[in-house]
Amino acid sequence: MPAYPLAGRTMVVSGASRGIGLAIAVAAATRGANIVLLAKTAQPHPKLPGTVHSAVAEIEAAGGKAVAVVGDVRREEDVRRAARTAVDRFGGIDICVNNASAIAVNCLWPQTYIATSAVANMADGSALLDSARDPAIMGDAAAEILSRPAKYTTGNCYIDAEVLIESGVCDLSGYGGGERPIPDLFLD
């Protein structure tokens, strides 16, 4: 394993002024990651240790690079500011850790290749695109998941086609991919 496996990668962590978020940020920073901390606590709280600024100091004391963004992950303008800060300070975002709140967490993965620029730029990309589904399948599956009550829809790993079939979609041909869409590389 390289000495710094996360070197040069930038991670945004919400809710990182203390606890689990801070522990994740420190661990990633000691492995070379640049850290952007998004947290509400700018001033010390009488009952809670740490602020977003003391978290930056802790990361830097551990040898890492970090920047604080005071904000709330529920406010779009604060999230945008964190993203701009990551781009301006470190050149972009490679990893996002949403540690704030108790916001439902699910994973959505494509069953097949999706007709994206990444696929188009692969060797034999134009042929691959013919057997890849439209990105709309991921959008529709995500919208279906997001429409479900978060209280009961969390901690799941979904496959796009399975979500749509479960929701009553019987014909996936409208998403393209031909008779035999190419199965995604990461599914068995």
Side-chain angles (χ1 to χ4, degrees), residues 1-64:
M1 177 190 285
Y4 297 104
L6 296 175
R9 298 178 75 191
T10 299
M11 182 169 77
V12 175
V13 184
S14 65
S17 57
R18 65 184 66 81
I20 294 169
L22 178 56
I24 291 169
V26 170
T30 61
R31 289 164 176 81
N34 303 311
I35 309 295
V36 178
L37 302 171
L38 173 60
K40 296 185 294 185
T41 310
Q43 301 297 321
H45 187 282
K47 295 183 180 180
L48 302 172
T51 68
V52 68
H53 305 293
S54 64
V56 166
E58 189 172 331
I59 289 166
E60 290 175 344

Side-chain angles (χ1 to χ4, degrees), residues 17 50 61 128 132 147 149:
S17 57
L128 295 174
S147 298

